[in-house]
Amino acid sequence: MKLRFLKTKACLLGSIILFASCASSTMITTVPGDAKIYINGEYVGQTPYKHKDSKIVGSSNTVRIEKEGYETYNDTFSKDEKVAVGPLIGGIFLLVPFLWIMKYEKGRIYDLRPVENK
């Protein structure tokens, strides 16, 4: 009975660690700071901003950065930038974790350009 309890506890702990490693984050910073940031068309705050999600490999996000006196910056980033070790190991035992085998870079910096007076 005690051995069964330990096996159940180990499986539960392993599952928690595996699914927690499915989330990925990236810090979005601008120069100059305090710019408004929109992810996938939705306002999420000001820079620096830590974006975190648990999307599957290959998923993309659009980012729009706005600051008064500076040009609007548009970009995309995808969840295909670095290998995630947790899902890689979990994928050896089950195929499902391979959906989260990639993650974002730790951070990205955007240099904003001032609007030119014509």
Side-chain angles (χ1 to χ4, degrees), residues 75-87:
D75 194 19
T76 60
F77 60 94
S78 300
K79 200 166 188 180
D80 62 359
E81 299 170 336
K82 288 181 77 176
V83 174
V85 177

Side-chain angles (χ1 to χ4, degrees), residues 5 7 41 46 51 92 111 116:
F5 174 74
K7 285 182 180 181
Q46 292 187 309
H51 175 75
I92 294 170
D111 288 323
E116 294 181 21

Side-chain angles (χ1 to χ4, degrees), residues 26-86:
T26 186
M27 181 62 76
I28 301 172
T29 308
T30 58
V31 177
D34 296 325
K36 292 180 181 178
I37 185 163
Y38 299 82
I39 303 287
N40 300 322
E42 184 178 325
Y43 176 74
V44 293
Q46 292 187 309
T47 58
Y49 172 75
K50 185 174 187 176
H51 175 75
K52 184 174 184 177
D53 66 40
S54 57
K55 292 181 176 182
I56 62 172
V57 66
S59 298
S60 294
N61 295 291
T62 60
V63 60
R64 184 175 83 238
I65 300 170
E66 297 177 350
K67 185 169 175 80
E68 190 173 325
Y70 292 85
E71 294 179 10
T72 299
Y73 196 98
N74 293 293
D75 194 19
T76 60
F77 60 94
S78 300
K79 200 166 188 180
D80 62 359
E81 299 170 336
K82 288 181 77 176
V83 174
V85 177

Side-chain angles (χ1 to χ4, degrees), residues 1-30:
M1 185 75 165
K2 191 173 185 177
L3 182 60
R4 184 175 179 186
F5 174 74
L6 288 175
K7 285 182 180 181
T8 303
K9 194 173 180 180
C11 286
L12 180 63
L13 182 61
S15 297
I16 290 170
I17 291 170
L18 174 65
F19 288 111
S21 66
C22 294
S24 181
S25 65
T26 186
M27 181 62 76
I28 301 172
T29 308
T30 58

